[in-house]
Amino acid sequence: MQLTPAQRTAIDTVDRNLLIVACAGSGKTEVISQRIAGLLAQSGVVPKNIVAFTFTEKAAAELKERIHARVTEQHGSVIGLAEMYIGTMHGYALDLLHSHVPEAFKINVLSDVQARLLIDKNSRKSGLTTTCAVVQGKAPQPLKRYAQSRLYQQVMSILREDNVDLAGLRPDVADGFKSYMALLDQRRYYDFTQILTAAVDCLEANETADASAVNVRSHIKENIRYVVVDEYQDTNPIQERLIAGLTQFGANLCVVGDDDQTIYQWRGSAVKNILTLEDRYKDVERVTLNENFRSSDAIVDLGRSVVDAIAIGRRLPKQMVAAGHQVFERGDLLALTLPDLDAEAASIADRIEAIQGLPFTDAPGQSPRGMSWSDCAVLYRSVKRDAGPLVAELRRRGIPYIIKGLTGLFDTPEVAAAVACFKYAAGEINASDVTGAWIAADLGLAAGDLVRGIAVLDRSMRWDDTKAWDSVTLQATFLEFLEAVGLREERVPSPQGANRGELIFYNLGRFSTAIGDYERIHLTSPPKDRFAQFAKWIAFQAPDYYQESDGDNSYAQPDAVVLATVHQAKGMQWPAVFIPALRNLAFPNRRSGGLNVLHVVDAGLIEDAERYRGTAEDERRLFYVAVTRAQKFLTLTYAPTGKQGGNKPSEFFQSATRQQTVLTKPASLPTEGRLTPTPKRATPDVVLSFSDLKYLFGCNYSFKLRLMYGFDSPLQKELGYGKSLHDAMAEIHKRAIEGDIVDPSEAEALVDRHLNLPFANPAARDQLRPAAIASVQRYLDENSALLPLTEFSEQVVEIHPAPGVTVTGRIDLTRRLDTEEVSIVDFKSTERAQANDVSLDQLYMYALGYKELTGTDADLVEIHNLDKAGGSKREVVDTDVLAKLTERVTAAGDSLRTNSLPRLAVWGKTCQACDFVGICRDRQV
């Protein structure tokens, strides 16, 4: 691309701290990637000297691929790119802990949903129901399970993430905080906040701190020279402390952001971080990227008018201008007043249908294509509150849609039918209700099919208290039911030219993800309780749990209209965007009258506490983000609700009507020149782990079910045993690199430090602990002489076999033998872990990664079985196998891009071992 002068300045400024103010659509990813490629051209700079933070994993994948492409263009190749961190702050902090703090190896990370489940399940032990909310003029009220666990979770995060006077907390809040932290410690969990807190504690430790903190600080001092932070406007105080910790020894800082797009203040984001950066860091140069390459000039003008109203001093000065190829035509921008909510929904659906087939050019120089369903996005201030009428209208017309995250998932007919299974298992409904729900979902099933499915549910209801708690699981029951009724993706009735089955399985897979979230916290509950509680949770609590989540996999691209909150749409773009429900008190949203964090923690104890309540400026920034997601077509709508407070248009709507480019009555779209609707199948920037690739090699369709749709495997009580042994091996070899050779007598202490079996019952734990100690002691007895030959332990590697495809992983162990040969070792802890041919594939991929990391070849690959009964394998690296493996990885990436992921042609061992064979094909004996 042709760079602007401002972009070139940002790329070339490497000797000063840098603030890049990047307006929406200004090409910041290209600027960051070229700047990093330029850094690597400097003498003495190697990839491990650079840390680049992105807001999401999806953004990290795009940046990683762009950097690799620019490095290849400018330098041909650079050794060790895998050692340059590109990803989220949470991911980096976790890597830091897992690399340098042995005590952290065994700790499992909870998602936000899982952390809330933990709080609710342990409502007293977590401090939830012993902590009070205080509303002026009323007696303190204890927080309630389920209803206020989200509020409590937010409070627990604020106490660690923000600048809070902890000494001033009320006793009940202080005790609750202590209880919650004790619960995490006891269960060996990190929530997302604790990942950052633990890393920052190490970075801010003094010279007398423990060895782990000293190791972390030494690593930063010796290696980190450049820190790049994207979406800096959304950082909170703990993240700013992480950045300060990484730059405390003189590393150069470059932050990229736009204060106009600060939309997470209610989560603690502090816009003052970007507004005051130049006051807090030395020698900062500011570069402003004003050019918007995404949207037409009319959309840019509207967006600019939204944020220009923010007060001077609360906003960095900038003037966004249109610089892209999208051409404004009269009728592209609409602000429509409709008589009621049903009319509003019908109007949006009409416009979506009318847009189908319109020519749209994605990039300069490309041929136009016909717009399709997935080119349209409807962005709400609150999907939960406002999307109902449109969902009903889209469903009535047969327009495919997806709701980002899982907020509206539970209202889809297929998921409502799945929920009915668990209501039946819990005794809440009868078999005819289950049959009726599945027939109503129109999935090609007959009543006879449901008879077989209900038999599965009946078996799950025959609980035996003498059996292990994992003998009957929610997940296994769900998968067995789908198998029994014969549901298959290709059997789902679809309109001509559509694949409705893909959308149905996409939704059922996300429901499986929700089952997995729940069961990871509740697996140790007796099956009868677990089924009954899950049925209630999925009916009453789950929609709220997932209100702001985004559980979508970036590989999955159904051709469907996207319904999302504006927050979920951050960083994305669509040719056509609709922003409905522009009513007074809805968008901009009024301050909630319910309980908030400042009813639990006094506002005077939190720095800039008002941001948690939300301000008018926050709402204006959010509307700006919504507007600037649109490339060409933008439709704003208002309809009265007929209720008090819902009968006036939003100030944002009224302001838009004053723009000369906005029509307040729809104009006909052209009928000539229409093209066949063709969804944009952009080449995804595919970042796969070596484990992901294992599934893709084994069976394309299994990969699709698991990693694109989200189907989860049933949990087992032994889960964690293999990782615990790997963690013990990691400590042994990391210490060996430092010259500390572990004695076999330390085996028991090593196991006790690392063993974490979250789902094991006492009998299983009593069996597995001695087995782990024996495995570690046997390894040390047999391999002590080899420990000094350790070159790498848990070393991150990458391979880049084709444009857009990155494969990442960690090599368990690399030895440089006395023979000067390099041996790559992968540890296995059980015979049933995976087939040896799959393990060897993985080892050969590690060999490719080792070559990219070091520039030299590995000589040997070895599968080392830690079990007494298991044999190990060792062979010389075969260069022909390496070449063929590269071809296979490239082909795998191509299959993802084209969504060509068929099931295996014939039944085989892979099918027998697959958790999802039942929803793929009929079993063969």
Side-chain angles (χ1 to χ4, degrees), residues 550-608:
D550 185 357
D552 301 339
N553 189 298
S554 59
Y555 305 146
Q557 301 179 59
D559 185 21
V561 178
V562 174
L563 278 62
T565 66
V566 183
H567 290 96
Q568 290 168 330
K570 180 74 179 293
M572 305 183 74
Q573 63 184 33
W574 290 269
V577 167
F578 299 79
I579 309 176
L582 286 172
R583 303 184 301 273
N584 186 40
L585 305 181
F587 199 177
N589 193 31
R590 63 179 174 183
R591 288 189 174 186
S592 172
L595 294 180
N596 61 54
V597 296
L598 301 183
H599 290 114
V600 181
V601 181
D602 185 86
L605 303 177
I606 306 174
E607 186 177 300
D608 190 19

Side-chain angles (χ1 to χ4, degrees), residues 651-702:
E651 65 178 271
F652 296 155
F653 181 87
Q654 297 288 59
S655 177
T657 64
R658 294 193 287 272
Q659 294 288 312
Q660 291 299 311
T661 53
V662 176
L663 294 181
T664 55
K665 182 179 180 180
S668 299
L669 294 169
T671 56
E672 296 183 356
R674 297 254 172 167
L675 303 172
T676 301
T678 305
K680 180 182 179 182
R681 292 290 188 184
T683 300
D685 297 310
V686 179
V687 178
L688 299 171
S689 71
F690 286 116
S691 296
D692 294 341
L693 203 58
K694 172 188 71 179
Y695 294 122
L696 196 55
F697 279 174
C699 171
N700 284 179
Y701 193 65
S702 173

